[in-house]
Amino acid sequence: TQAHRERAAVERARAEAALRALADQFTRTVEDAPVPILLEAEDGEVLRVNRAWTELTGYAHGDLPTMDAWLTHACGQGAEALRDRMRALFAGETGVVESECEIVTRAGEQRTWLWSASSPGHLQDGRRFAVAMATDITERKASELRLQRNAETFTHLVQTAPFGIYVIDADFRFAHMSAGALP
């Protein structure tokens, strides 16, 4: 009847509006996420980069529209290894890709990123897609390097001191002892 068709049309319109609202919410969530996010199709097309990605790299979506362009231009030496890992992801050989890579920003600055990607499904056109997220670990890596150098310097100083130095740990075990401490 006419009433049923009208009710069905209203319900369909509501369902379509709800789907559009969910799609908009998802788009805003990705765009406004505090971590860099890149969406890639299995053929290498970069579908989207979010605001954080653009802010940290200086590259907008149109600047490097394919994953090959991104990897070649911004990833340098680590590009081939990451390409291989992404191929394995799309082939279903692995569920998650995790990789540390050096990137070069548009301004020429070198950054270290911890890259994670997964392929949660297919696009409407049937292509698989991947979601890649990155964490900028440049400062952490620099801190780790400073800590390592300080530890090496400390160990060298203790080992070469001409007088007795004893370093004990929290359990009162000898952690370091200088050569000058030996009888």
Side-chain angles (χ1 to χ4, degrees):
T1 69
Q2 181 65 20
H4 288 273
R5 284 190 298 271
E6 288 175 6
R7 187 181 353 223
V10 168
E11 288 175 10
R12 184 174 58 246
R14 284 185 185 147
E16 289 171 355
L19 283 174
R20 279 191 304 276
L22 284 173
D24 289 346
Q25 182 180 17
F26 174 76
T27 299
R28 282 191 316 276
T29 299
V30 169
E31 186 60 30
D32 295 338
V35 296
I37 298 175
L38 177 143
L39 302 177
E40 172 197 0
E42 67 185 321
D43 62 3
E45 178 187 0
V46 173
L47 304 167
R48 164 175 250 115
V49 294
N50 73 344
R51 187 174 297 119
W53 190 283
T54 299
E55 288 173 359
L56 288 172
T57 66
Y59 297 112
H61 178 247
D63 297 331
L64 301 169
T66 66
M67 199 60 187
D68 188 57
W70 168 260
L71 291 172
T72 299
H73 187 75
C75 286
Q77 292 181 356
E80 202 53 43
L82 193 50
R83 270 189 194 93
D84 290 343
R85 289 185 175 125
M86 292 304 290
R87 282 186 201 112
L89 177 69
F90 284 124
E93 297 167 12
T94 185
V96 174
V97 168
E98 291 185 347
S99 181
E100 188 176 297
C101 63
E102 299 296 321
I103 66 156
V104 180
T105 68
R106 173 171 253 166
E109 184 181 13
Q110 293 243 328
R111 308 296 297 171
T112 305
W113 276 16
L114 182 59
W115 174 286
S116 297
S118 66
S119 181
H122 293 80
L123 299 168
Q124 286 181 336
D125 63 12
R127 295 180 296 170
R128 288 185 62 101
F129 75 98
V131 176
M133 296 182 190
T135 303
D136 188 333
I137 59 170
T138 306
E139 297 306 319
R140 185 185 88 195
K141 295 291 282 184
S143 293
E144 288 171 354
L145 183 59
R146 284 191 302 275
L147 184 61
Q148 178 185 351
R149 286 182 182 155
N150 287 343
E152 289 168 359
T153 299
F154 172 77
T155 300
H156 175 74
L157 289 172
V158 168
Q159 290 173 346
T160 60
F163 47 84
I165 297 176
Y166 300 93
V167 179
I168 58 172
D169 64 18
D171 295 321
F172 299 102
R173 293 178 295 200
F174 288 105
H176 297 282
M177 184 181 340
S178 69
L182 298 174

